[in-house]
Amino acid sequence: MSQAYRDSTYLFPVTQALHLLAVTVFVGAIVIGDLRLLGWGPVGQSRASVVRSAQRVLLWAGLAVLVTGIPQFTTNALTYHRSWLFILKMWVLAAALLFTATVRHRVAVADEGRLASWVPRVVGAVSLVLWMGVTISGRLINYYG
Amino acid sequence: MLSIVPTFAWLEGLAWTTALRESPYGYPLIETSHVAFIVIFAGLVMMMDLRLVGLAFRHVPLAQIQQRLFRWQMGAFVPSMGTGILLFLVDPLRYYQNVFFIAKLLFLVLAGLNALVFHLKTYRKGETWDEDPHVIVTAWRAGAASLFLWSVTIVASRLIPNNWFK
C-alpha cells in the first residue's frame, strides 16, 4: 500500500496539500485562544469561553492533521527517521501537545481573578512559540530534511 | 504581440534575485515565512467563517471575533503578501504559467472580493444579528464562500511545486 501511495503521481502531493489545510485550521483555533490569553483577542469574552469554543475545532482539525500526516510518514519512514528536522518537529509537537492539554487548558479555564495577569500572557506566548515551531520546522523539512 | 517573458527573464537575471534564488537559505526562509504568515492569517479568517456558518464560537458575538481579530489578520496578511511577491520576483519564469499558481491568485482575488462585499455591505447591518448564534442567510453564505475560497487557495498553494499540466 505504501509502495502504491509513493508511486502515485497525485496521491502524495494531494495529501500534503490537505495536511497544510488542516494545519491552517488547527493553527487558527490555537492562535485565537493564545491571543485571548495574551489579552489581545476577543477580550469581551472570558478566556475559558474562547478556549472552550475553539476546542471542538482543535479536535476535528487535529484529527485531519493526523489522518493526512501519518501516510506521509509511513510511505517515507526511513527518510524521515534520518531527518533531524523531522525529529525536532516531533519533539516540539510532543511538547506543544502536552503543554496545551495541561498548563494551557488549566490556565484558560481557571477563575480570571485567581491568577496574576502575567500568567495567562506567558502561557499564551509559550503556546504560540511552540505551535509555530511545529509549523515552521515541518515546512523546513522540505529544504533541509 | 508584446510578451511579458523578457521582463520576467530580466527580473530573474538581476544580481539580487539570482543571489536569493541560489542561496541555500534565502529562498527556503522566505518561503517558510510566507507559509507561516498565511497559516496564521487564513487560520484566523477561517475562525470567523466558522462562526458565521455556526460551526464554532456560536456564543461569541461576531463583533468580538471580527473586530478584535482584524488587526491580527492584517498583521499576518501584509507580510504574507510581501514574502509572496518576493518569491514571485525571485523566480518569475517558474511561476507565471503554473496552473496552481494562477489558480491560487484567482481564488485569492475571489476570497478578497467576498470579504470586501461582506464588510462593506452585509456586516453594515450586523448589530441586529451580531449576538445571535444563527446569523442572517447572506452572512452565512459569505462565511461558507470564504471557507471554500481560502481552502482552495491553500490547497493550490501547496500544489504549485507539482506542475502537472505543462
Side-chain angles (χ1 to χ4, degrees):
Chain A
M1 196 178 118
S2 286
Q3 181 72 35
Y5 189 82
R6 209 168 25 241
D7 293 345
S8 161
T9 312
Y10 305 108
L11 219 48
F12 196 80
V14 167
T15 312
Q16 283 181 318
L18 294 176
H19 187 64
L20 181 63
L21 178 59
V23 166
T24 304
V25 178
F26 187 90
V27 168
I30 283 286
V31 173
I32 194 171
D34 287 345
L35 284 175
R36 177 63 190 87
L37 288 166
L38 284 158
W40 294 329
V43 288
Q45 300 294 300
S46 69
R47 291 193 290 260
S49 157
V50 175
V51 170
R52 281 208 177 104
S53 300
Q55 219 157 35
R56 200 162 62 141
V57 183
L58 272 185
L59 288 175
W60 281 107
L63 189 68
V65 169
L66 270 180
V67 167
T68 53
I70 288 173
Q72 291 184 64
F73 172 74
T74 52
T75 46
N76 291 289
L78 282 174
T79 313
Y80 283 122
H81 174 70
R82 283 192 290 266
S83 159
W84 69 273
L85 267 165
F86 178 77
I87 294 164
L88 175 74
K89 177 185 172 178
M90 288 301 119
W91 277 109
V92 183
L93 175 64
L97 280 172
L98 196 66
F99 185 79
T100 304
T102 56
V103 180
R104 184 180 184 270
H105 181 74
R106 288 185 75 162
V107 167
V109 300
D111 288 341
E112 305 247 334
R114 206 165 64 84
L115 297 169
S117 64
W118 61 268
V119 176
R121 286 178 188 273
V122 169
V123 168
V126 171
S127 166
L128 209 50
V129 168
L130 284 172
W131 285 111
M132 287 320 291
V134 177
T135 310
I136 290 168
S137 55
R139 190 68 200 126
L140 285 173
I141 293 171
N142 283 4
Y143 293 105
Y144 306 114
Chain B
M1 201 176 104
L2 274 175
S3 166
I4 194 80
V5 177
T7 312
F8 288 160
W10 169 77
L11 260 174
E12 204 165 293
L14 292 174
W16 69 271
T17 57
T18 308
L20 272 179
R21 195 171 52 248
E22 291 176 359
S23 150
Y25 304 110
Y27 192 90
L29 293 183
I30 300 169
E31 203 260 2
T32 302
S33 319
H34 181 61
V35 172
F37 285 123
I38 283 186
V39 163
I40 295 177
F41 164 71
L44 286 178
V45 168
M46 284 172 150
M47 291 309 108
M48 193 180 105
D49 297 337
L50 289 174
R51 165 68 177 86
L52 286 173
V53 297
L55 287 176
F57 309 104
R58 290 182 356 155
H59 301 291
V60 180
L62 188 64
Q64 275 290 308
I65 302 221
Q66 200 263 323
Q67 288 162 14
R68 299 283 309 178
L69 290 183
F70 186 72
R71 74 179 79 165
W72 300 102
Q73 290 165 349
M74 289 302 108
F77 178 71
V78 172
S80 81
M81 281 296 281
T83 47
I85 291 168
L86 199 55
L87 286 173
F88 179 77
L89 294 180
V90 164
D91 215 353
L93 291 172
R94 180 183 164 202
Y95 294 118
Y96 86 106
Q97 281 185 318
N98 183 299
V99 171
F100 294 117
F101 177 73
I102 297 165
K104 175 187 179 174
L105 288 191
L106 179 71
F107 280 92
L108 188 70
V109 170
L110 290 175
L113 288 175
N114 180 56
L116 205 65
V117 172
F118 175 76
H119 287 290
L120 296 180
K121 209 170 162 203
T122 316
Y123 194 61
R124 277 272 163 97
K125 293 168 190 159
E127 66 273 10
T128 53
W129 45 268
D130 186 68
E131 293 187 20
D132 195 335
H134 302 285
V135 300
I136 58 170
V137 74
T138 44
W140 187 94
R141 279 191 201 135
S146 179
L147 274 176
F148 171 74
L149 293 169
W150 283 114
S151 298
V152 177
T153 305
I154 288 162
V155 167
S157 302
R158 190 63 189 86
L159 290 174
I160 288 173
N162 311 282
N163 203 356
W164 293 326
F165 310 103
K166 274 182 188 167

